[in-house]
Amino acid sequence: MKAFLLSLTICSGLAMGAKAQVELVNPVPHSVTSTRHLFAAPKAWSVTADRQRQSSYALSALSEIGVEQLAKAASFRVTLGVVGDRSVNKFKKLVPQHEEGYYMAVGPKGVVIAGRDERGLYYGVQTLREMMAKGQLETCTIQDWPDVKFRGAIEGFYGRPWSHEHRLRQIDFYGRNKMNVYIYGPKDDPYHRQHWREAYPENEAKLLQELNIRAHQRGVNFYWAIHPGLDIKWTNEDRDNLVNKLEKMYGLGIRSFAVFFDDISGEGSRGEKQAELLNYVDSVFVRKHGDVSPLLLCPTIYNRAWSGKGDIYLHTLGKHLRPGIEVMWTGNSVVHTIEKEGMNWINERIRRKGYIWFNFPVNDFVRDHILLGPTYGNGLDIADDLSGFVSNPMQYAESSKISLYSLADYLWNMKPYDAMTSWKRAIENLLPAQSQALQVFASYNEDLGPNGHGFRRDESRELKSLCDQAMKGDLSTAAQLREHAQSLATACDLLMTDKTNPWLIEELLPWLMQGKHLAQYAQAVTTLAELVVKGQNNATATEGAPLMSFDAQYNRARALQKQMYDLEANRNVLHEYQTGIKLGTLRFLPAINKLFAVATEKMNAQAGTHYEVVTQYQPFTIETDVPQLKLQPISIYGGEVKVAPSYEIITWPVGSHFTLTTDRPVTLRGMDFNFGKPGTAALFQLECLRPDGTWQKVALLHYNEKDQVIHTGNELGGMTVRAIRITNISGAEQQLNFRHFKFIKD
């Protein structure tokens, strides 16, 4: 009953503060009691705090709000302190009994902020800053605290690491939104992974120091992660190499550390050795210094789908790892939302609360999409089952803030979290000058499209009924769809010329350009669909408006199809690592393509014309008994056909195959693939299915002993085939990367 009454109090308090200044605060506070009285925010104030708070980062944050601080008493007073400070002693019973919690009272004469600890005080200052954002304050009291102890982000994606400036901006963003963790673990940092034993060069070490200092100023734990698993030897020498590297990072001022063994195979993946190493580091490094955060381990088996029979690896970690060492977990699969049942499952095996590595909005496995949609699907009842929760964002740091804003909201106050409301607030926060345009554009950039992890998101929800109707061939939907196309075009134009957040627009630009093409394509298609509905069967009628004929709009639609195709392969437009540019692929584009096909077929039937029905076409399909490769996307640009890479370790059972089939014969000009290790050519057999139904073997080779790329024999060139099949003929299970697979055709 007590829990119910508390929940009711919180909800009613928030309702009273709705559409007022508290509504501007992210994350949504736990308990708010408001009179609804608004008053002008002060232009100056005096600050009262105990002497030991004078160097506090919370007071520094207060000065950054931009209000003049007067040495003498002002008509508006801000009183700050932590439980135990004289300045807030009479409020100590009102401060929540939670780490990082705070109590806040706001009135026309002043503000009191009392934190349970230093970080709680800092978060109270952030709440004040957000309340004042539009020049007013609200008479209210707030009692607030986080549901999840550790909340933040991990720079753990594959691809171009964030720039130093982006990292600083991210850390500032985390502080403003009450997230307390940033894990530095970019896969492409050689001193994190490939050259983990080596010290950073002086200039790079100074940059890490700067990040760590900024993190402290924002109440953020800066975790530096090391990834020794690729080539670690379980010897005293390598054990000491790892500790020595951590000592060097400690010397830079860093006090939080993680050790990663993800996405590897072989000797480095032994669970008992990993536990032994982490326990040793805990003894001789963490406990020695006394001011180091608990270690974080990212295990080799970091999701349920890989756990295997008996979950031996996970039980080994649970049994042998010392209590206090945190274990990271991505959920039921590599990319998955997190729910109660799954947390119970992993916590039982590792004998501690799991620390979630949430692979969203990361897009390193769908590089032709940018993910700007709502963050939803995680359980609202799992706060007590987590030790921490961090998001793995995209290489697009600014665009990732849409999701990160909502995750901060979710992890702070889980039960009332509303994904759509939080998403709209995130967009307003990121680009207030053009928030409506960004919301329209973002709604076409939610779903991931087909991908190897099978993780999908809803998209363009408001268009579902209309697009469903269009997919049935209903041409009467054309007028409404054209209105949405015009809205998308307008949004793209407004965003491309926005100057208020150049960081964001630079990231979005390829998709904005493609969005404009998509909108124009939809306008052309809906116009020709309406011509058919109106019975204008003369395809080339030119009276009055010559370019509004079916023929002109058909050719315009075909021209825009080509422009969209060409843009996807334009290296002058694409970002580094980007493989294409897709948006609106779940509903809007399929609906427009359907209208194009139906309208063209009807015109041909009515007028005896022979217009070709061409929309998007995918002649290649995958057939395989390697589960991790079944859903890999296939892309075609000109004569080059690529299967999307996978950044996890792929398990090839004995005799397993990967087959790429085509619906018509194609003539090959070249082919190669990369499984991440030299010498793998001898483990596989390549065969091509000839048009006469026979399979022909093709030689596989490496150019030298260090070459990871598998090349084909000369007999492949000029061969016409219906399918390509690669088979594991080694007689043993193989665990390998799948870094690239491509061929060139006529």
Side-chain angles (χ1 to χ4, degrees), residues 509-552:
L509 189 57
W511 287 275
L512 290 170
M513 295 171 68
Q514 192 73 302
K516 187 68 179 292
H517 285 334
L518 172 58
Q520 292 171 332
Y521 171 60
Q523 289 169 338
V525 169
T526 52
T527 298
L528 64 86
E530 286 199 314
L531 290 173
V532 172
V533 170
K534 293 175 182 177
Q536 296 185 11
N537 295 340
N538 186 349
T540 59
T542 60
E543 185 176 346
L547 293 182
M548 293 304 293
S549 67
F550 184 95
D551 185 72

Side-chain angles (χ1 to χ4, degrees), residues 286-302:
V286 175
R287 300 189 183 193
K288 164 191 164 184
H289 287 293
D291 60 348
V292 174
S293 302
L295 285 172
L296 262 178
L297 167 68
C298 183
T300 304
I301 295 177
Y302 52 76

Side-chain angles (χ1 to χ4, degrees), residues 88 136 273 568:
V88 294
Q136 289 186 307
K273 290 296 185 180
E568 287 212 63

Side-chain angles (χ1 to χ4, degrees), residues 591-710:
I592 297 302
N593 283 337
K594 182 67 175 181
L595 290 191
F596 182 72
V598 171
T600 303
E601 289 166 353
K602 287 192 174 183
M603 174 57 77
N604 288 338
Q606 292 170 3
T609 51
H610 300 282
Y611 290 103
E612 187 178 4
V613 179
V614 179
T615 57
Q616 290 182 317
Y617 169 61
Q618 175 54 270
F620 297 99
T621 56
I622 291 173
E623 298 175 9
T624 182
D625 50 8
V626 180
Q628 293 159 281
L629 297 178
K630 284 184 177 180
L631 300 176
Q632 291 303 106
I634 303 167
S635 59
I636 309 170
Y637 299 109
E640 185 176 72
V641 181
K642 289 183 178 180
V643 179
S646 175
Y647 295 104
E648 62 194 58
I649 297 298
I650 303 300
T651 299
W652 293 76
V654 176
S656 59
H657 72 94
F658 175 82
T659 304
L660 200 64
T661 62
T662 178
D663 65 355
R664 65 189 68 180
V666 297
T667 301
L668 301 178
R669 294 301 171 193
M671 177 180 183
D672 60 54
F673 42 98
N674 185 341
F675 291 167
K677 286 184 179 180
T680 50
L683 307 176
F684 290 86
Q685 175 178 279
L686 174 64
E687 300 169 284
C688 293
L689 179 64
R690 304 303 300 271
D692 63 3
T694 61
W695 287 93
Q696 180 175 337
K697 293 181 182 179
V698 177
L700 297 176
L701 65 150
H702 298 284
Y703 288 160
N704 57 62
E705 62 181 14
K706 295 183 179 180
D707 186 12
Q708 296 183 359
V709 177
I710 301 176

Side-chain angles (χ1 to χ4, degrees), residues 190-491:
Y191 301 99
H192 156 75
R193 200 163 186 244
Q194 287 89 348
H195 305 301
W196 60 269
R197 299 173 182 86
E198 300 175 22
Y200 279 93
E202 184 178 354
N203 288 342
E204 294 186 40
K206 286 181 178 178
L207 293 178
L208 291 173
Q209 277 186 306
E210 186 178 347
L211 292 176
N212 186 56
I213 291 169
R214 179 68 67 87
H216 175 73
Q217 294 169 345
R218 301 299 185 237
V220 175
N221 291 323
F222 178 88
Y223 277 82
W224 182 79
I226 189 168
H227 194 307
L230 288 175
D231 63 355
I232 192 170
K233 299 174 178 60
W234 301 115
T235 62
N236 290 346
E237 180 183 0
D238 254 2
R239 181 189 68 182
D240 293 339
N241 283 333
L242 189 140
V243 172
N244 290 338
K245 181 67 171 281
L246 296 181
E247 289 286 6
K248 287 184 173 67
M249 305 311 293
Y250 183 91
L252 298 178
I254 296 169
R255 296 295 182 266
S256 301
F257 298 90
V259 183
F260 290 176
F261 289 99
D262 59 313
D263 299 342
I264 61 169
S265 60
E267 187 67 15
S269 63
R270 293 173 59 184
E272 75 280 6
K273 290 296 185 180
Q274 293 172 5
E276 182 182 318
L277 176 65
L278 269 288
N279 290 341
Y280 178 79
V281 172
D282 188 56
S283 293
V284 305
F285 177 71
V286 175
R287 300 189 183 193
K288 164 191 164 184
H289 287 293
D291 60 348
V292 174
S293 302
L295 285 172
L296 262 178
L297 167 68
C298 183
T300 304
I301 295 177
Y302 52 76
N303 69 86
R304 189 172 180 174
W306 296 357
S307 60
K309 188 175 181 180
D311 314 316
I312 296 172
Y313 173 90
L314 296 173
H315 281 295
T316 297
L317 293 184
K319 179 179 179 181
H320 294 291
L321 270 181
R322 282 182 171 175
I325 298 175
E326 309 282 9
V327 178
M328 305 191 82
W329 187 248
T330 67
N332 287 342
S333 59
V334 177
V335 186
H336 207 282
T337 51
I338 309 301
E339 298 173 351
K340 186 82 172 178
E341 185 275 335
M343 289 310 305
N344 290 339
W345 187 92
I346 183 57
N347 291 351
E348 177 186 347
R349 283 154 178 77
I350 61 175
R351 304 185 189 185
R352 67 204 72 207
K353 295 180 180 181
Y355 194 115
I356 295 302
W357 174 322
F358 183 46
N359 274 319
F360 186 82
V362 64
N363 70 334
D364 58 12
F365 57 101
V366 284
R367 295 186 184 276
D368 51 0
H369 287 74
I370 193 164
L371 306 181
L372 308 177
T375 302
Y376 64 91
N378 294 308
L380 302 180
D381 57 351
I382 62 173
D384 293 338
D385 304 309
L386 308 170
S387 65
F389 192 116
V390 291
S391 161
N392 190 15
M394 299 180 282
Q395 74 176 50
Y396 309 109
E398 203 71 12
S399 302
S400 295
K401 289 178 179 177
I402 293 176
S403 178
L404 292 172
Y405 180 99
S406 291
L407 280 166
D409 188 12
Y410 165 74
L411 296 169
W412 183 272
N413 190 3
M414 196 171 282
K415 287 185 178 179
Y417 173 72
D418 182 274
M420 292 304 296
T421 299
S422 189
W423 176 63
K424 292 174 183 177
R425 293 174 66 205
I427 288 172
E428 170 72 23
N429 178 267
L430 184 59
L431 197 69
Q434 292 294 350
S435 59
Q436 285 187 314
L438 182 56
Q439 185 175 323
V440 168
F441 178 71
S443 71
Y444 291 88
N445 290 277
E446 300 182 43
D447 186 41
L448 295 77
N451 63 84
H453 297 297
F455 187 75
R456 304 297 296 269
R457 299 278 83 179
D458 200 0
E459 188 171 85
S460 303
R461 294 160 184 78
E462 74 283 0
L463 297 182
K464 183 180 186 306
S465 177
L466 184 63
C467 288
D468 287 349
Q469 193 176 346
M471 290 300 291
K472 296 176 182 177
D474 186 349
L475 298 184
S476 70
T477 58
Q480 285 181 271
L481 285 170
R482 186 162 62 252
E483 290 179 4
H484 288 287
Q486 182 59 49
S487 180
L488 174 59
T490 301

Side-chain angles (χ1 to χ4, degrees), residues 363 366-370 395-396 506-511 514 567-571 573-582 637 642:
N363 70 334
V366 284
R367 295 186 184 276
D368 51 0
H369 287 74
I370 193 164
Q395 74 176 50
Y396 309 109
E506 187 272 335
E507 292 174 356
L508 298 181
L509 189 57
W511 287 275
Q514 192 73 302
L567 191 66
E568 287 212 63
N570 188 337
R571 300 313 307 179
V573 172
L574 300 180
H575 294 297
E576 186 179 4
Y577 292 97
Q578 189 179 346
T579 58
I581 316 170
K582 290 184 171 61
Y637 299 109
K642 289 183 178 180

